[in-house]
Amino acid sequence: MKISTRIGIVGAGPAGLTLGLLLQRAGIDCIILEHRSREYVENRTRAGLLEQNTVDLFNELNVSGRLQREGLQHHGVNLSFDGMRIRIPFDELTGGRCITIYGQQEVIKDLVKANLERGVPVYFEADATRIEDIGTNSPKIVYTQNNETHVLECDFVVGCDGYHGISRSSMPKDSYSEFVKEYPFSWLGILANATPATDELIYAYHERGFALHSLRSNKVSRLYLQVENNEKLENWSDERIWDELQIRLSDSGNFRVNRGEIFEKAITPMRSFMIDNMQHGRLFIAGDAAHIVPPTGGKGLNLAVADIRLLAEAMVTWFRKGNNDLLGSYSQDCLRRIWRAQDFSNFMTYLFHKQAPHGSFEYYLQRSRFNYIGQSKAQATTIAENYVGLKDI
Ligand SMILES: Cc1cc2nc3c(=O)[nH]c(=O)nc-3n(C[C@H](O)[C@H](O)[C@H](O)COP(=O)(O)OP(=O)(O)OC[C@H]3O[C@@H](n4cnc5c(N)ncnc54)[C@H](O)[C@@H]3O)c2cc1C
């Protein structure tokens, strides 16, 4: 079957669903194709840190009712090195900006609901298999649903289909360069029914490796440990995980981690990836389809939403005024923020992960970098403004 719309969107993650709402607000028709079921995408646990910019956009789109009620605003973050702790006060250093802790799966539930209520068609279990004719004015997405093949004809295709999607590889190979960095460590992450032992996140360097105490709600803790890239989950009993977290997160004030039932456990490799062009012909790509950052800076979801804010504005300008300027500069406009986020995520990763033996030259450089945060308001401000998200870039 052949159907048509203005904008064909591949992927109902944060990027695709936010784009759906922005286009609907502007009166531009679109269809979102998602190869998973609604239930699956609404329960996929991933990020949980929303920058001020992301919350501002969700407020503007009127999709933040539950986020405002259930999200936890954090006005600072704790950084720890060998048990010494520094708090970075966002309020004071960024003119009142903050972050909000709210699980990505909750964001997705809110965005799916709003799209459907506002009449944006979201086709679940619709697998995009090919993107064709991107060099013409009527690109097409070929997809299968219920074992039937369909063709979606549009004015533009937007690939919001994540790192493993088909959109990036639908652009000619010579239209972009790839940058890849594999870090020599991974994160073992858990979700646990345990009251968080801290009101604000704690990033900790320890001679046994990095640890992060984060949270998802007042009852659910999210914690991570640096592990070797070839580490196996079966080597980590729940008890071993809690013991290791306790050791790495301890500070001079005898901080105690609250233990509880672990209901999710996974090892994720740490990677940076990006391409330097996010458009070819009538195909635009956004979010994880174009870039991956290590999760240390909490930027993945926020970057995806930031790309979409720019793309939606560019598309609305094109449809309303026939002006191509913003569409033409889309890649370059996104790349400024993406490079900043890559650098910040890389900085945070190297500041807190163990990369060299304790007591080595590299270790002392790392420690000096940490001490400087406590000594210099300028350095603390740099971290705070990158962490809550730069407003204009
Ligand atoms: C395991 C994991 C843990 C993470 N943890 C963190 C974290 O702690 N902090 C952080 O900041 N970031 C984290 N991230 C990154 C963050 O979740 C992503 O940056 C964010 O989801 C990007 O949104 P997106 O919309 O670009 O892509 P996605 O959320 O990946 O959405 C892409 C969508 O496209 C769909 N899709 C793919 N191919 C097709 C196709 N052919 N046809 C139709 N649909 C398709 C997928 O099913 C998916 O729903 C994590 C990512 C992963 C994978």
Side-chain angles (χ1 to χ4, degrees), residues 10-16 33-36 40-41 44-49 104 108 126-129 160-166 187 216 222 224 268 286-289 291 293 295 297-302 304:
V10 186
L33 304 174
E34 166 56 55
H35 75 162
R36 301 285 192 176
Y40 183 93
V41 296
R44 189 164 45 189
T45 312
R46 287 184 167 180
L49 185 162
Q104 180 167 332
I108 296 293
D127 186 19
T129 51
C160 301
D161 48 353
Y163 179 76
H164 298 288
I166 59 160
W187 276 15
R216 282 293 180 269
R222 179 85 163 131
Y224 299 94
T268 314
D288 275 18
H291 43 76
V293 287
K299 293 289 167 226
L301 183 160
N302 297 293

Side-chain angles (χ1 to χ4, degrees), residues 170-300:
S170 302
M171 301 208 302
K173 270 268 170 287
D174 60 2
S175 65
Y176 60 87
S177 301
E178 282 187 6
F179 301 90
V180 185
K181 179 165 180 60
E182 309 277 354
Y183 294 85
F185 32 75
S186 298
W187 276 15
L188 191 171
I190 60 161
L191 274 164
N193 286 318
T195 306
T198 175
D199 292 340
E200 295 171 342
L201 272 59
I202 306 170
Y203 287 74
Y205 169 92
H206 189 276
E207 66 171 302
R208 294 165 73 105
F210 167 76
L212 170 61
H213 194 324
S214 178
L215 50 144
R216 282 293 180 269
S217 70
N218 288 325
K219 293 187 183 134
V220 176
S221 295
R222 179 85 163 131
L223 299 116
Y224 299 94
L225 288 167
Q226 175 185 353
V227 294
E228 300 284 329
N229 274 343
N230 58 0
E231 188 57 80
K232 299 269 180 295
L233 262 188
E234 53 264 34
N235 295 337
W236 289 84
S237 65
D238 292 3
E239 201 186 350
R240 182 176 174 208
I241 291 173
W242 288 121
D243 289 348
E244 193 63 27
L245 284 165
Q246 181 56 53
I247 294 169
R248 296 192 195 179
L249 288 164
S250 288
D251 66 354
S252 42
N254 297 321
F255 176 81
R256 300 290 311 164
V257 174
N258 288 334
R259 300 182 181 213
E261 175 220 358
I262 296 177
F263 61 90
E264 197 173 298
K265 220 193 261 191
I267 292 183
T268 314
M270 302 280 284
R271 250 163 11 105
S272 298
F273 168 84
M274 64 185 282
I275 55 176
D276 62 357
N277 174 33
M278 296 159 66
Q279 181 236 337
H280 188 84
R282 291 280 181 120
L283 170 63
F284 289 78
I285 62 172
D288 275 18
H291 43 76
I292 303 278
V293 287
T296 330
K299 293 289 167 226

